[in-house]
């Protein structure tokens, strides 16, 4: 800012009023003179803006000395109101443009940060999904192990019951060769009859639920009962499972009964509106499980609503499978978790 002419150097004349106003804001005298000489403005705001932009300029705190000619020219050069307005508008536009550029740069930084955060979140989500998949697989493996244990337990129990019946009859626990042969022929005959029945139904267009599919459907029914009611009444869910197991157990024990036998009607027909059935089974949607087993809605001779299981609707093996599913639901702590 210093003048290099050979003329005498003096401090330029500026508005004393503006100097005082700027001093009140904390600016030193030399800075006040420099800004007023440079801007020729009578706006405090413009002066403050100029000082902010040039605060680190060299010599800002030194006394400003210029030639007398330059000082006089500056006095004559004082801006008119219109010129001051135009200068102020230009300064405002320059500040706005500078702010716009700063905002644009800041937005670029923010966008980079958003992209980085998004990538990190996506990676974390993938890791969590992989861990959840492993946990689910492990739970399923444990559940299958529990199912196998339950089946083995039932098989052992059936073998023990068979041996106990033979002991009561005075027979050896193990079958004799002749009995093994008879048992083999009996099983083959049962298998032949089941095959013929399946073929007959297929010819008639009647859908036959295969044991595997039936087991899956029964499992789903039991899972639905647990998910819907276990949070509010876990004891009621357990009671429902045990009641269903008792129903099927009675039918299995008397499976060979004919429709003319008293036990046939007693165990294969359930009164829908009976207190025990309503409170223990229907209230927990257990009737859906029975319908999957083959129970049909109908009315008895007294006009009451009942569920009836015709003999041809389910085999003994399928009844036993249904019992296994219920036993698993009762004893497996992971049942219905997945």
């Amino acid at each position: 800012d210093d003048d290099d002419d050979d003329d005498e150097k003096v401090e330029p004349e500026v508005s004393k009023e503006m100097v005082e106003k700027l001093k009140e804001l904390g600016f030193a005298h030399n800075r006040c003179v420099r800004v007023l000489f440079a801007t020729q403005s009578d706006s405090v705001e413009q002066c403050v803006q100029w000082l902010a932009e040039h605060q680190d300029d060299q010599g800002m705190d030194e006394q400003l000395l210029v030639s007398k000619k330059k000082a006089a020219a500056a006095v004559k050069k004082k801006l008119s109101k219109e010129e001051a307005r135009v200068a102020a508008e230009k300064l405002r536009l320059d500040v706005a443009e500078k702010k716009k550029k700063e905002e644009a740069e800041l937005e670029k930084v923010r966008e980079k940060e958003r992209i980085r955060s998004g990538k990190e979140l996506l990676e974390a989500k993938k890791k969590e999904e992989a861990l959840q998949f492993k946990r689910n697989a492990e739970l399923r493996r444990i559940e299958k192990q529990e199912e196998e244990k339950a089946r083995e337990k039932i098989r052992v129990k059936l073998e023990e019951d068979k041996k106990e019946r033979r002991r009561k009859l005075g027979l050896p626990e193990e079958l004799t060769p002749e009995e093994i042969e008879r048992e083999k022929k009996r099983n083959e005959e049962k298998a032949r009859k089941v095959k013929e029945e399946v073929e007959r139904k297929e010819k008639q267009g009647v859908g036959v639920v295969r044991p595997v599919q039936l087991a899956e459907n029964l499992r789903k029914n039991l899972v639905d009962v647990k998910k819907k009611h276990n949070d509010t009444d876990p004891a009621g869910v357990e009671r429902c499972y045990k009641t269903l197991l008792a129903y099927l157990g009675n039918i299995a024990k008397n499976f060979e009964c004919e429709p003319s036998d008293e036990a046939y009607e007693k165990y294969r027909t359930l009164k829908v509106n009976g207190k025990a059935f309503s409170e223990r089974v229907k209230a927990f949607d257990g009737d859906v499980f029975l319908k999957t087993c083959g129970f049909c809605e109908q009315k008895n001779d007294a006009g009451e609503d009942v569920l009836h299981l015709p003999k041809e609707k389910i085999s003994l093996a399928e009844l036993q499978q249904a019992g296994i599913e219920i036993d698993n639901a009762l004893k497996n702590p992971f049942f219905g978790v997945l």
Side-chain angles (χ1 to χ4, degrees), residues 176-188:
T176 63
E178 293 79 7
E179 289 174 323
I180 293 174
E181 185 63 26
R182 286 198 299 272
E183 183 71 17
K184 180 180 177 181
K185 290 181 179 180
R186 188 160 50 249
N187 290 336
E188 289 175 350

Side-chain angles (χ1 to χ4, degrees), residues 102 127 154 215 243 290-291 295 303:
E102 290 175 350
K127 289 181 179 179
I154 291 173
T243 303
L290 294 174
K291 290 175 183 177
F295 278 82

Side-chain angles (χ1 to χ4, degrees), residues 193-211 312:
K193 288 182 178 179
V194 169
K195 183 178 178 181
E196 290 176 353
E197 181 66 14
V198 169
E199 291 175 350
R200 181 183 67 79
K201 288 185 178 182
E202 288 177 345
K203 288 179 181 179
Q204 294 175 350
V206 179
V208 180
V209 179
R210 309 308 303 171
E312 68 274 7

Side-chain angles (χ1 to χ4, degrees), residues 306-324:
V306 298
L307 285 177
H308 179 70
L309 179 64
K311 192 168 186 177
E312 68 274 7
K313 283 287 186 178
I314 192 168
S315 67
L316 181 58
E318 289 169 333
L319 269 177
Q320 291 171 341
Q321 182 61 46
I324 289 173

Side-chain angles (χ1 to χ4, degrees), residues 11 67 91 180 188 225 239 275:
E11 185 176 84
S67 66
L91 180 61
I180 293 174
E188 289 175 350
V225 169
R239 186 167 59 248
K275 183 178 180 181

Side-chain angles (χ1 to χ4, degrees), residues 225-226 229-244 279-281 283-284 329-330:
V225 169
K226 186 171 184 179
H229 301 284
N230 200 58
D231 289 340
T232 56
D233 191 358
V237 171
E238 183 178 359
R239 186 167 59 248
C240 174
Y241 287 163
K242 290 182 177 179
T243 303
L244 293 173
E279 294 179 354
R280 297 184 179 186
V281 179
F284 296 88
L330 284 167

Side-chain angles (χ1 to χ4, degrees), residues 209 214 217-218 221 244 247-248 270 272 277 281-282 285-298 306-310 313-314:
V209 179
L214 176 64
N217 292 340
L218 293 173
N221 294 153
L244 293 173
Y247 287 158
L248 299 186
L270 306 171
V272 174
F277 184 87
V281 179
K282 193 172 183 180
D285 303 308
D287 55 325
V288 178
F289 178 89
L290 294 174
K291 290 175 183 177
T292 303
C293 289
F295 278 82
C296 304
E297 293 180 338
Q298 61 184 52
V306 298
L307 285 177
H308 179 70
L309 179 64
K313 283 287 186 178
I314 192 168

